[in-house]
Structure formats: structure tokens, C-alpha cells
Amino acid sequence: MLYSDKVMDHFTHPRNVGTIENADGIGEVGNPKCGDIMRIYLKIDNDIITDVKFSTFGCGSAIASSSMATEMIKGKPLSQALELTNKAVVEALDGLPAHKLHCSVLAEEAVKAAVKDYYDKNGIEYDHEKFAQKHDCEHCGE
Ligand code: FES
């Protein structure tokens, strides 16, 4: 079986799909390899992610990864969301095939971009290091 039960579950029943009106932060990233696009919307209250939604024009693995990522950051402080790695998402999904690892990177980057958007819009200082791209995806070489 190429995909784990968890991947199939999150692909066929993705959590937190949609958009948020008046979102506090929106992150959009694209995967240059396949052209897929991922958007994450955050509602933030007192540094806590009170709601999160995603929409994607992406493959099944990207959908499953984003669904899992949104579940992992919902109700969590921003500091924790920024620590979410694509590796943690893949582990939570019980793995992805090697050639699909890059799809999970979209989820990590979209979360970071949404937090950054929130910081930028509100003039909040942040450590730019945290947004440097250093995901764990041996195949894309980025
Ligand atoms: Fe494009 Fe998976 S093939 S994100």
C-alpha cells in the first residue's frame, strides 16, 4: 500500500477545509515543481490560533498534509505553529512515499507564511531566522 490509512483518511475527509473571512493571517505558497498552490487562513487571539482553514489546488498528499497540519496547530500558540516541520506532519501521517515528501513542505511553508502575514500586518517584531526555508525534503534540494 503506497499510502497509509491516515493519509487516505485525511485525503478523503480533509479537516478544516475552507476560508476564513477577515482572517488575521493568510499564507499562500506554491510548489515550483508541480505548480500546486496552498493557502492557509488563521484566526489569532492573544497569540493563540483559535481557528485555521486551508484551501488548495494541490495533489492528494498536499491535501492530507495540510489537513493534518491544521489539526496540529489549531488551538496552539503561534510559537508552536512556527515549529511545525513538514517532517512532523509526515510522521503524524504515518509517512508519505519519498517522491511525495515535497508535498508536505507546502503545508509547513503555508503555515509559516500565514503567521508572517499576521506579524507583518500588525507590525509585530519577529525573528526572521524562523522563516528561513530549511525544510526536510531531500528530493527537492531546496
Ligand atoms: Fe504538487 Fe504534491 S504533487 S504538492
Side-chain angles (χ1 to χ4, degrees), residues 70-86:
T70 55
E71 287 288 274
M72 289 168 86
I73 63 168
K74 205 174 192 174
K76 299 280 168 33
L78 291 178
S79 55
Q80 225 166 303
L82 286 178
E83 271 162 25
L84 181 81
T85 60
N86 80 297

Side-chain angles (χ1 to χ4, degrees), residues 3-138:
Y3 293 105
S4 72
D5 289 346
K6 276 200 190 148
V7 172
M8 290 312 289
D9 177 34
H10 279 265
F11 168 57
T12 49
H13 307 285
R15 319 323 189 243
N16 309 307
V17 173
T19 59
I20 296 179
E21 292 246 345
N22 302 318
D24 296 307
I26 301 176
E28 184 182 294
V29 293
N31 185 326
K33 278 198 143 175
C34 58
D36 289 352
I37 296 167
M38 169 77 55
R39 208 178 279 163
I40 294 237
Y41 300 80
L42 299 176
K43 205 76 194 152
I44 297 162
D45 189 15
N46 245 333
D47 257 20
I48 303 286
I49 296 172
T50 55
D51 199 11
V52 48
K53 293 264 191 291
F54 80 91
S55 62
T56 184
F57 189 84
C59 72
S61 299
I63 292 171
S65 299
S66 321
S67 169
M68 181 56 91
T70 55
E71 287 288 274
M72 289 168 86
I73 63 168
K74 205 174 192 174
K76 299 280 168 33
L78 291 178
S79 55
Q80 225 166 303
L82 286 178
E83 271 162 25
L84 181 81
T85 60
N86 80 297
K87 194 166 179 230
V89 172
V90 171
E91 270 164 22
L93 287 170
D94 291 337
L96 277 176
H99 69 286
K100 283 284 167 186
L101 281 178
H102 71 272
C103 313
S104 66
V105 172
L106 271 188
E108 174 191 326
E109 289 184 345
V111 168
K112 287 200 173 126
V115 174
K116 188 170 178 298
D117 181 49
Y118 167 73
Y119 284 159
D120 286 341
K121 275 185 185 145
N122 292 280
I124 298 169
E125 291 289 320
Y126 55 86
D127 179 1
H128 289 253
E129 251 300 289
K130 287 214 164 88
F131 295 91
Q133 305 210 342
K134 46 176 188 246
H135 51 257
D136 181 22
C137 178
E138 59 200 42

